[in-house]
C-alpha cells in the first residue's frame, strides 16, 4: 500500500488546534506509516502547540478581517493572495490524499486550493453557529462533520455528519478518579468544590465576578479552583493566600479537576461545551459576547434548550449571579436534572467517527 499523506489546518485558538491534533493522533493509530503536515497562521499559538504534539507545521501570512477599518484590513488582500499561493505550493509539493480543516483563518486558503486541485476535503465545525471560513468552504467540501443539530441552514444537508467534537479521552471515566483528585488539589472532602474556567487565555469579566464574589462563596462554605488564564494571573494570584481558594493560569490535569468539581462556571467555547457534556457536572455558562456571530451564546443555548445547563449573560451577572448560584447549590433535584441531561448530549466517540468519514474520502 502506498504511504498515505494528510494535511490538517486549523488554529488561532485552542478550540481549533486541539481537534486537529486529536484527529491526527487517531489517523496515526490507524495508519502508523502515514505522513502528516499541519498548516496554520504564522503568528498564532498553533506554531507552538502543534510541534509540541510532535507534528510538522508550516505557517501562512494570514489573519481575519477586523470589524473596523485598520491597517490589518488594508493588508488583507495581500495576505490572502500570499496565503493562496503558498497553499498551492504546499499542496503540490506534499501531495496529500485528504485535506482536513478544523476552522480558523489558515484553513480557508488551504482548503480552497485543495478543492481547486481536486483533492478531497473534510471540514470539522465545532460550533453551533459556523464561522465565515467554513460557510464559504462548505460548498466545495466533500464532507462536513458537525457537533450540533440543525446546521442545514448553513451547510449542504447531504454533506453533514453529526459526529460531535473531539474530546480528551482521559475525561471518559472521571468518576473513578475523585479520591485521587481531592488529594491532588488538597481539597476538603466535606466541602463542595466550584471549578471556574475562563478558557486558555482567560476571561476578564468572569475573573472580575469571582474576585467580587469571594466573600459570597465563603459564606456558602464552598471551595474554589479558579483558572484565570495567563493574561490575568498577575492580577489574581494574590487570592491564593485566602483559605479554600486556588488560583492558577492554567490547569494541567483537566481529568482530575473535573473529577474534583461539584459545579462548574465556564465560558461556552465549543471544546469546553463538548468536554462538559462528557463530564456531566451541573454547569453555569457565562458566554463571551466578544466572539464572531456571538457563537458562544448559541453554543450554550443549545444545551440550555435541552435542560442541560444554566446560562447567565455577562450583562446580567450583577443582578442574577448570586440568586442563580444559591438556587443551584441548594436544589438537589435541579443538580441531578442538569447532570443527567447534559450527559445525554455527550459524543465520546467523535474523533473515531470523524476519522471514519476521512477514510471514506481516501481514493
Amino acid at each position: 500500500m502506498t504511504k498515505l499523506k494528510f494535511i490538517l489546518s486549523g488554529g488561532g485558538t485552542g478550540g481549533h488546534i486541539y481537534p486537529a491534533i486529536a484527529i491526527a493522533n487517531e489517523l496515526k493509530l490507524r495508519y502508523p506509516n502515514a505522513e502528516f503536515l499541519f498548516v496554520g497562521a504564522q503568528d498564532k499559538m498553533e506554531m507552538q502547540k502543534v510541534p509540541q504534539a510532535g507534528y510538522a507545521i508550516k505557517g501562512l501570512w494570514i489573519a481575519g478581517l477586523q470589524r473596523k477599518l485598520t491597517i490589518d484590513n488594508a493588508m488583507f488582500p495581500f495576505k490572502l493572495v500570499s496565503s493562496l499561493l503558498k497553499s498551492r505550493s504546499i499542496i503540490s509539493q506534499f501531495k496529500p490524499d485528504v485535506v482536513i480543516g478544523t476552522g480558523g483563518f489558515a484553513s480557508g486558503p488551504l482548503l480552497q486550493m485543495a478543492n481547486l486541485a481536486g483533492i478531497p476535503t473534510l471540514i470539522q465545525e465545532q460550533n453551533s453557529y459556523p464561522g465565515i471560513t467554513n460557510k464559504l468552504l462548505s460548498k466545495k467540501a466533500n464532507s462536513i462533520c458537525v457537533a450540533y443539530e440543525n446546521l442545514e441552514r448553513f451547510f449542504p444537508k447531504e454533506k453533514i455528519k453529526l459526529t460531535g467534537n473531539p474530546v480528551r479521552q482521559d475525561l471518559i471515566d472521571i468518576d473513578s478518579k475523585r479520591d485521587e483528585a481531592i488529594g491532588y488539589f488538597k481539597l476538603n472532602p466535606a466541602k463542595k468544590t466550584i471549578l471556574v474556567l475562563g478558557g486558555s487565555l482567560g476571561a476578564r469579566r468572569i475573573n472580575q465576578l469571582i474576585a467580587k464574589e469571594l466573600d459570597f462563596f465563603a459564606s456558602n462554605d464552598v471551595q474554589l479552583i479558579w483558572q484565570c488564564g495567563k493574561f490575568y494571573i498577575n492580577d489574581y494570584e494574590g487570592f491564593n493566600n485566602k483559605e479554600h481558594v486556588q488560583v492558577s493560569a492554567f490547569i494541567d490535569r483537566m481529568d482530575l479537576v473535573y473529577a474534583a468539581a461539584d459545579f462548574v462556571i465556564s465560558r461556552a467555547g465549543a471544546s469546553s461545551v463538548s468536554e462538559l457534556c462528557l463530564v456531566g457536572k451541573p454547569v453555569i455558562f457565562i458566554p463571551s459576547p466578544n466572539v464572531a456571530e456571538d457563537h458562544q451564546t448559541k453554543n450554550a443555548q443549545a444545551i440550555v434548550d435541552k435542560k442541560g445547563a444554566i446560562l447567565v449573560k455577562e450583562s446580567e451577572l450583577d443582578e442574577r449571579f448570586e440568586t442563580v448560584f444559591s438556587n443551584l447549590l441548594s436544589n438537589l433535584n435541579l443538580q441531578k436534572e442538569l447532570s443527567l441531561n447534559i450527559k445525554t448530549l455527550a459524543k465520546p466517540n467523535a474523533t473515531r467517527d470523524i476519522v471514519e468519514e476521512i477514510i471514506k474520502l481516501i481514493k
Side-chain angles (χ1 to χ4, degrees):
M1 181 174 166
T2 55
K3 191 191 242 185
L4 290 171
K5 295 182 170 192
F6 300 100
I7 294 184
L8 297 99
S9 181
T13 66
H16 294 311
I17 300 164
Y18 179 73
I21 291 171
I23 291 166
N25 289 344
E26 179 69 23
L27 280 167
K28 201 174 185 175
L29 280 178
R30 309 273 184 112
Y31 304 106
N33 298 326
E35 261 188 81
F36 295 89
L37 177 65
F38 279 69
V39 176
Q42 66 189 18
D43 52 352
K44 297 285 185 197
M45 65 193 274
E46 55 264 31
M47 301 310 286
Q48 281 82 50
K49 296 286 181 203
V50 168
Q52 280 166 11
Y55 295 100
I57 185 165
K58 289 183 187 280
L60 302 178
W61 185 45
I62 188 76
L65 277 165
Q66 308 300 313
R67 293 180 189 185
K68 47 193 184 290
L69 277 170
T70 61
I71 301 278
D72 276 347
N73 274 358
M75 296 301 290
F76 182 76
F78 302 102
K79 290 184 176 181
L80 183 61
V81 170
S82 150
S83 297
L84 286 165
L85 292 172
K86 188 163 180 187
S87 295
R88 187 171 70 182
S89 126
I90 288 170
I91 286 165
S92 68
Q93 283 169 10
F94 190 76
K95 299 187 173 57
D97 292 280
V98 182
V99 174
I100 299 131
T102 58
F105 312 132
S107 64
L110 187 85
L111 269 77
Q112 182 65 25
M113 283 314 195
N115 288 330
L116 284 174
I119 290 160
T121 59
L122 176 138
I123 296 171
Q124 197 261 322
E125 173 55 65
Q126 295 99 32
N127 289 296
S128 59
Y129 197 96
I132 190 161
T133 307
N134 279 355
K135 276 194 244 178
L136 291 170
L137 291 170
S138 67
K139 296 174 182 55
K140 294 268 175 25
N142 299 73
S143 185
I144 303 163
C145 294
V146 300
Y148 291 90
E149 293 164 351
N150 309 321
L151 291 188
E152 294 82 11
R153 17 177 244 240
F154 307 111
F155 297 144
K157 188 177 176 186
E158 69 283 359
K159 296 179 182 179
I160 296 177
K161 302 284 184 301
L162 181 65
T163 56
N165 283 325
V167 282
R168 299 163 215 254
Q169 294 304 293
D170 60 0
L171 301 183
I172 287 173
D173 177 32
I174 57 161
D175 295 344
S176 65
K177 300 180 182 177
R178 182 149 174 110
D179 293 343
E180 184 193 347
I182 284 170
Y184 182 87
F185 289 104
K186 301 182 176 61
L187 295 166
N188 176 346
K191 286 183 188 284
K192 294 287 187 197
T193 301
I194 318 298
L195 169 63
V196 181
L197 298 173
S200 49
L201 304 175
R204 181 171 56 193
R205 187 66 188 86
I206 291 182
N207 289 335
Q208 289 169 341
L209 170 82
I210 301 302
K212 186 184 102 172
E213 301 290 357
L214 286 176
D215 292 341
F216 166 73
F217 287 124
S219 69
N220 278 287
D221 199 29
V222 297
Q223 54 201 345
L224 230 64
I225 298 179
W226 174 10
Q227 181 258 320
C228 68
K230 65 173 189 180
F231 287 156
Y232 301 102
I233 187 65
N234 296 342
D235 302 336
Y236 296 106
E237 63 187 342
F239 289 119
N240 274 315
N241 58 26
K242 275 191 174 294
E243 208 187 351
H244 308 308
V245 178
Q246 298 182 35
V247 190
S248 60
F250 189 77
I251 297 167
D252 284 322
R253 290 297 303 271
M254 287 308 289
D255 58 332
L256 292 185
V257 86
Y258 282 133
D262 295 290
F263 305 94
V264 183
I265 297 167
S266 176
R267 280 296 198 214
S271 313
S272 303
V273 174
S274 297
E275 288 185 2
L276 289 164
C277 289
L278 205 58
V279 164
K281 303 283 169 99
V283 181
I284 297 174
F285 283 122
I286 305 174
S288 168
N290 316 313
V291 291
E293 318 278 11
D294 196 19
H295 67 250
Q296 285 205 4
T297 301
K298 293 169 176 128
N299 291 347
Q301 192 62 51
I303 307 296
V304 173
D305 290 345
K306 303 260 170 85
K307 298 190 169 52
I310 296 167
L311 190 162
V312 182
K313 293 187 170 170
E314 277 196 357
S315 55
E316 305 166 342
L317 284 173
D318 290 337
E319 66 265 27
R320 282 191 64 212
F321 178 77
E322 290 189 5
T323 316
V324 167
F325 183 80
S326 303
N327 177 43
L328 179 60
L329 196 60
S330 59
N331 188 334
L332 287 176
N333 286 337
L334 176 60
Q335 292 169 26
K336 278 186 188 141
E337 181 190 27
L338 293 176
S339 279
L340 284 170
N341 290 340
I342 198 169
K343 267 198 149 149
T344 63
L345 304 173
K347 299 256 189 308
N349 300 322
T351 314
R352 220 166 54 204
D353 293 345
I354 292 163
V355 165
E356 289 298 335
E357 293 305 316
I358 294 168
I359 290 169
K360 288 178 193 171
L361 300 180
I362 297 170
K363 284 182 174 153

